[in-house]
Amino acid sequence: MNIKEIISVKVIQALEDAGAPAHSNPLVSQTMKKQFGDYQVNGIIGVANKLGIASRQLAQRVLNHLDLKGIASKVEIAGPGFMNIFLDSAWIAKQVKISLEDDRLGISPVKIQTIVVDYSSPNVAKEMHIGHLRSTIMGDASVRTLEFLGHKVIRANHIGDWGTQFGMLIAYFNKNQNKHVNDMNIADLESAYREAHNLYYKDPEFAENARAYVVKLQGGCKVCKNIWQKIVDITMLHNQKSYNRLKVTLTKDDVMGESMYHTMIPEIVADLKDKGLAIESEGAIVVFLEDYKNKHNKPMGIIIQKKDSGYLYATSDIACAKYRYETLGANRILYYIDSRQHQHLMQTWSIVRKAGYVPDSVSLEHHMFGMMLGKDGKPFKTRAGSNIKLSDLLDEAVNRASKLIAKKNKNLSYEELEHAAEVVGIGAIKYADLSKSRTTDYIFDWDKMLSFDGNTAPYIQYAYTRISSIFKRIPFDSSTLTGDIILTEECEKSLAISLIQFEEIITQVAREGTAHIMCSYLYNLAGMFSSFYEHCPILKATSESQRKSRLELAALTARTLKIGLGTLGIETVERM
Ligand code: ARG
């Protein structure tokens, strides 16, 4: 159940009955302080101001019409017209039961949408960089969240697999009689790429050759296509290993690279010309956008076809948005790309909308994110200043996690420790990224992310193991946990309310792509469990029914933590 939603619907109705316009926003939110109840309504004052009436008076009228029978035990008006709502314990207990009896924590069915999520999207012939890591982690959390809610999700790994670099690489391999093409790894590819790149700018003959190969490749030349495929395969095989280790759900079937849109583009360029949106300018085909100005304060020109007839990154993004709507049937399209590409996307989508390729009813959303910085506030690099390899980063995380866990628990077997270190190390890296509001840059800090204190993965994973250990000490049969939930103590009630707020949280995260909201929720829930465990003894409960009720609350907490972390792509272990 979505408590916020349930209360909002009731308050909207009461507002209407009290004479306010239909669909006024009641601004319902969770309260921060218990003395103000569990939820508060903050929108009445704004509505009263619009109507030109006294806000406290309107609040009283709304209260007279508000029907929260069975849900709230008390509703009061506060200050100039706020409303404080105190949830009824019996109602909370009933909701906890509903969650307990359902594998999906009692969340209500959603109106199913087809949602395309563009994420990871590394470039071919190069190692993934830190920006791709962030996109991969955040995109995968988003995908898992949306799927958990029941949506149809299409993963789109928009890899950079097209463009002049392939001409360079093919020319380079050719120059070397294609010697190593069959036994290259990603490092060989990267160095070939660097050398090809150098040659391209130093040697005009090589450059011409490279350009000719691009044309050949685009024209469907079989030999070129074969080399191209090899380059793509080597890169993606390498990336797949990172995905697997990171427990990211992408597979090779999700690759929808730039090359895929290649054949759609000529028709789109012709269509944009027909519609009068694109014109020829200095030999290139350009769309001028009134809503973006260049430095001379004239409409900004977006080149969609170069003088040499080649296409650009923007052109493939126009085609790709069209494809995602038209062919994939998307209702929503989310892009996890760093904020430096925001302008690029906005301009591309402006063209897409003007051309009518994607209707306004389908949202195009840039779920952008900032950079990952080192402790010095500069882009995160190795001490020697080179880019950090993803596999090295993950190895270090697991090593550090292993030391951390070994210190805490000396009784783990070698296998248990090894497994826990992998789960905690990878979890810590992912959680560190997900727990910060994604729009800002974030500082990578080993000590903070790998700590059992604070808003970290290890903290929540550890809370989970504590609950698991309770159930190990009290062998119980879950089928006997059928009694009522009893909420007499304040910490029982707080924990119970937090538990039934899961749907409210996941709904918001799914809508906004803000995984940090889920992280804070889980962190608070784990904290709430700690104080519950401290103040409400389970083994020494005063009665059998109280003991059972507390065990049920503990069981639901463990499940919520596990499922919640699961939506973030983070695993749990039973012991650490
Ligand atoms: N390959 C691009 C890069 O590394 C990211 C692609 C993102 N997706 C898109 N549809 N443009 O910068």
Side-chain angles (χ1 to χ4, degrees):
M1 77 296 331
N2 186 333
I3 307 176
K4 186 171 148 176
E5 184 70 30
I6 294 172
I7 295 178
S8 296
V9 169
K10 298 271 188 194
V11 179
I12 290 170
Q13 186 58 53
L15 268 161
E16 240 186 281
D17 295 343
H23 310 299
S24 303
N25 189 348
L27 298 178
V28 175
S29 65
Q30 294 174 21
T31 50
M32 293 297 164
K33 288 198 180 125
K34 281 286 156 217
Q35 78 247 40
F36 301 134
D38 302 305
Y39 280 80
Q40 65 202 90
V41 181
N42 298 326
I44 298 176
I45 302 168
V47 177
N49 288 346
K50 264 197 215 134
L51 294 175
I53 55 175
S55 52
R56 234 188 125 91
Q57 211 176 11
L58 180 63
Q60 189 55 54
R61 290 218 302 261
V62 173
L63 184 60
N64 294 343
H65 287 101
L66 184 60
D67 175 21
L68 285 174
K69 221 183 300 129
I71 299 176
S73 55
K74 184 166 85 176
V75 183
E76 60 186 23
I77 296 169
F82 300 112
M83 213 175 245
N84 298 335
I85 297 172
F86 298 76
L87 295 177
D88 181 69
S89 292
W91 185 78
I92 299 168
K94 205 162 82 204
Q95 309 311 310
V96 168
K97 259 334 232 198
I98 294 173
S99 298
L100 266 168
E101 275 151 19
D102 177 28
D103 288 340
R104 296 174 69 243
L105 300 175
I107 60 164
S108 9
V110 289
K111 185 164 172 279
I112 298 173
Q113 290 187 311
T114 298
I115 306 174
V116 174
V117 185
D118 178 323
Y119 72 110
S120 193
S121 310
N123 296 321
V124 164
K126 290 189 207 167
E127 284 250 16
M128 265 201 253
H129 60 61
I130 301 280
H132 297 128
L133 174 66
R134 293 202 81 188
S135 169
T136 305
I137 292 174
M138 290 178 191
D140 208 53
S142 175
V143 157
R144 286 169 181 269
T145 301
L146 295 165
E147 276 182 345
F148 181 79
L149 284 174
H151 293 295
K152 177 179 169 212
V153 176
I154 300 174
R155 295 158 175 77
N157 196 352
H158 190 87
I159 62 172
D161 62 356
W162 209 239
T164 32
Q165 72 265 37
F166 291 94
M168 292 181 203
L169 277 165
I170 298 172
Y172 178 80
F173 291 137
N174 233 311
K175 197 171 142 81
N176 298 303
Q177 285 90 40
N178 289 341
K179 253 191 264 156
H180 300 296
V181 177
N182 285 319
D183 50 19
M184 277 187 306
N185 61 26
I186 187 82
D188 303 328
L189 246 183
E190 267 201 310
S191 75
Y193 185 83
R194 264 194 305 275
E195 283 171 42
H197 201 262
N198 281 341
L199 276 173
Y200 186 82
Y201 290 100
K202 268 209 317 253
D203 177 351
E205 201 183 318
F206 179 85
E208 187 152 334
N209 215 354
R211 277 192 291 270
Y213 275 121
V214 178
V215 177
K216 268 189 165 176
L217 174 67
Q218 304 198 340
C221 152
K222 278 236 165 64
V223 179
C224 297
K225 199 78 202 267
N226 274 337
I227 304 180
W228 171 84
Q229 189 67 55
K230 227 162 233 139
I231 301 170
V232 174
D233 289 348
I234 293 168
T235 312
M236 292 318 286
L237 192 73
H238 177 78
N239 288 334
Q240 190 60 47
K241 286 187 193 145
S242 305
Y243 295 150
N244 295 349
R245 183 142 193 226
L246 278 166
K247 297 282 185 280
V248 160
T249 56
L250 284 168
T251 70
K252 63 178 191 323
D253 298 337
D254 304 313
V255 171
M256 294 187 213
E258 288 175 39
S259 63
M260 223 181 86
Y261 306 101
H262 178 62
T263 50
M264 286 173 65
I265 290 181
E267 213 175 291
I268 289 180
V269 172
D271 183 55
L272 290 174
K273 280 207 245 165
D274 280 352
K275 289 185 169 134
L277 288 163
I279 52 170
E280 208 179 307
S281 168
E282 294 168 42
I285 309 294
V286 184
V287 178
F288 285 97
L289 292 175
E290 295 290 336
D291 27 0
Y292 291 89
K293 299 282 187 249
N294 64 17
K295 51 180 185 291
H296 308 294
N297 210 27
K298 295 262 162 52
M300 174 106 77
I302 311 298
I303 301 178
I304 54 168
Q305 187 172 355
K306 291 189 287 190
K307 236 192 284 190
D308 67 3
S309 87
Y311 305 118
L312 291 119
Y313 185 48
T315 333
S316 66
D317 261 323
I318 295 172
C320 131
K322 185 171 188 277
Y323 175 82
R324 288 169 181 178
Y325 165 67
E326 237 171 51
T327 310
L328 301 180
N331 302 110
R332 269 178 91 185
I333 314 176
L334 319 182
Y335 294 73
Y336 283 86
I337 316 180
D338 80 50
S339 46
R340 289 169 301 180
Q341 293 193 27
H342 189 60
Q343 166 121 324
H344 155 78
L345 281 180
M346 291 302 125
Q347 292 171 342
T348 314
W349 296 346
S350 165
I351 298 171
V352 165
R353 297 285 195 204
K354 286 198 172 98
Y357 294 154
V358 179
D360 288 342
S361 59
V362 171
S363 63
L364 293 160
E365 304 170 32
H366 184 195
H367 289 192
M368 64 177 135
F369 51 84
M371 307 243 286
M372 188 149 134
L373 305 175
K375 265 189 180 167
D376 55 3
K378 301 210 180 95
F380 191 52
K381 296 254 157 97
T382 60
R383 247 179 240 159
S386 54
N387 282 329
I388 289 174
K389 268 202 183 150
L390 185 53
S391 49
D392 292 344
L393 187 85
L394 301 183
D395 285 342
E396 179 156 1
V398 173
N399 276 334
R400 285 175 182 256
S402 176
K403 288 192 189 116
L404 189 77
I405 300 165
K407 232 181 3 195
K408 188 146 192 123
N409 189 344
K410 307 232 168 348
N411 301 323
L412 296 179
S413 70
Y414 177 77
E415 286 76 25
E416 270 180 310
L417 178 61
E418 199 177 37
H419 176 61
E422 189 75 23
V423 169
V424 172
I426 303 289
I429 295 248
K430 292 174 100 171
Y431 192 90
D433 209 328
L434 295 168
S435 57
K436 320 278 182 324
S437 159
R438 64 175 155 72
T439 45
T440 48
D441 294 344
Y442 108 87
I443 298 194
F444 190 92
D445 183 337
W446 284 119
D447 298 326
K448 276 203 186 129
M449 74 177 78
L450 275 157
S451 160
F452 283 116
D453 298 312
N455 187 9
T456 65
Y459 174 79
I460 300 169
Q461 287 168 321
Y462 183 68
Y464 177 81
T465 62
R466 273 180 80 194
I467 308 178
S468 300
S469 78
I470 298 172
F471 286 107
K472 283 207 191 84
R473 272 180 287 143
I474 319 169
F476 86 107
D477 175 0
S478 57
S479 63
T480 62
L481 284 187
T482 49
D484 285 337
I485 299 292
I486 306 162
L487 305 174
T488 36
E489 303 294 323
E490 204 38 62
C491 54
E492 287 172 318
K493 193 173 162 195
S494 305
L495 178 64
I497 292 178
S498 184
L499 285 168
I500 58 174
Q501 281 168 339
F502 180 75
E503 180 171 344
E504 196 172 308
I505 299 297
I506 195 170
T507 307
Q508 184 184 354
V509 174
R511 191 175 56 234
E512 302 168 348
T514 43
H516 71 283
I517 306 267
M518 177 58 77
C519 294
S520 319
Y521 167 75
L522 296 173
Y523 172 55
N524 286 330
L525 179 63
M528 206 109 54
F529 182 80
S530 271
S531 60
F532 159 83
Y533 195 48
E534 209 174 295
H535 297 108
C536 300
I538 295 181
L539 296 176
K540 295 193 186 109
T542 50
S543 66
E544 184 60 14
S545 53
Q546 188 180 61
R547 193 169 82 103
K548 275 193 173 166
S549 163
R550 288 179 180 173
L551 274 173
E552 286 184 278
L553 287 173
L556 186 58
T557 306
R559 250 175 54 209
T560 307
L561 291 177
K562 191 182 175 83
I563 290 178
L565 284 176
T567 64
L568 299 171
I570 296 175
E571 298 182 307
T572 48
V573 286
E574 299 302 307
R575 251 157 69 93
M576 67 158 84

